Amino acid sequence: MNHTPEIRKILAPVPLGSDCKIAIQQAMIFHEVYGSKIILLHVETEFSVFHKLLRPDRLKKHIKRAKKKLKKYAKNYFGGEVPDFISMQVSTGELVQEILLAAKNTKCDLIIISKGERIASRLSFLKNENADKLISGAVCPVLTISGKHTETGIKNILIPVDITKKITSKVARVKCLAKKFNAKVHVVSVLNLDIPPLKSLAYRKALEIENSILEEGLEVNVELLMSNKRSMHDVVLSHIDKLKPDLVLMMTHQESILFDNYIGKFAGEIIHRSESPVFNLVPRKETLTGNLLDSFATKKKIWQEVYV
């Protein structure tokens, strides 16, 4: 492997309350492996023009109180003393925009968002459309936590593979994560073609991925799942519920970004419905033309398998 993406800085947007525990806990799992610095960010609701221009003293006091409260929760989590690798920021404005701005300014390598039920009533970015905007606009991967999450570490990573898409960067990233955490990789692909699985392109693609991961000395399990007329995301979500991986790795953007969509249907369903944490990769736009060409070539092979 020529390049291993490091996670040097983690941005964890948190509410002012005990709900911030989940995001800190997950950030610490990555810190213990990568030695990452963790930035706790709290975003206050945007103030009116009146308060900004005519009552700036009141605005400053409000931010000061928020900083004090955030520091208190951090101290409680770490038993009284905040470690040197933890820093805290408080900003005011629209939540998604402030998170994206902070991620850019701090040059972070990962954003961790907790989507617990208690937070959902207070943080607007947890609405699906706003979560999509945050994920698609981020300058780095985004880890979304909506249900069960690991408290001990990452031992099993699941990677759904769509053989009609370019997956080189996706496989490279899962190998990096698996090496760092000494985790087992579970590769799943959904078949909806009326041909024997062992003769399908999906099977050949799965073997290539398996060999690529085995070459890194990693443990891997490859499964081809039959759709049985169900949607791909329903099949994968059922498998996630059964396996209960510590992490699901998704490539969030597809060719649809060229038409101003945030994320594809498949990725969106996994992100919003998975009980396991989802590590969302966001490929940059300059790579998408190549992805389209690869996609067309692969789809042509599938057409030949079915109709020739």
Side-chain angles (χ1 to χ4, degrees), residues 11-15 39-43 70 88-91 98-99 102:
L11 181 67
V14 295
I39 304 161
L40 303 180
L41 171 69
H42 175 69
V43 180
L70 180 59
M88 287 164 275
Q89 296 181 11
V90 174
S91 64
E98 289 299 314
I99 294 173

Side-chain angles (χ1 to χ4, degrees), residues 82-125:
V82 181
D84 292 339
F85 58 83
I86 298 285
S87 62
M88 287 164 275
Q89 296 181 11
V90 174
S91 64
T92 63
E94 195 278 321
L95 190 56
V96 173
Q97 292 178 3
E98 289 299 314
I99 294 173
L100 293 175
L101 181 62
K104 182 178 179 181
N105 290 341
T106 59
K107 297 180 180 179
C108 70
D109 303 294
L110 178 66
I111 300 172
I112 295 180
I113 306 169
S114 173
K115 299 174 65 178
E117 290 181 2
R118 291 181 61 192
I119 304 175
S121 63
R122 298 179 348 200
L123 298 187
S124 62
F125 75 84

Side-chain angles (χ1 to χ4, degrees), residues 136-198:
S136 63
V139 295
C140 63
V142 178
L143 177 66
T144 54
I145 305 164
S146 59
K148 299 172 184 176
H149 55 277
T150 178
E151 297 182 12
T152 58
I154 297 171
K155 297 302 179 185
N156 288 281
I157 303 174
L158 183 142
I159 172 173
V161 173
D162 183 347
I163 61 168
T164 68
K165 303 291 189 298
K166 186 177 177 65
I167 57 172
T168 305
S169 58
K170 192 175 181 181
V171 174
R173 174 68 78 154
V174 80
K175 289 192 288 188
C176 292
L177 288 169
K179 267 194 166 184
K180 280 288 188 178
F181 288 99
N182 191 28
K184 181 176 180 178
V185 179
H186 301 264
V187 180
V188 297
S189 186
V190 180
L191 295 178
N192 54 13
L193 302 177
D194 189 20
I195 60 174
L198 297 184

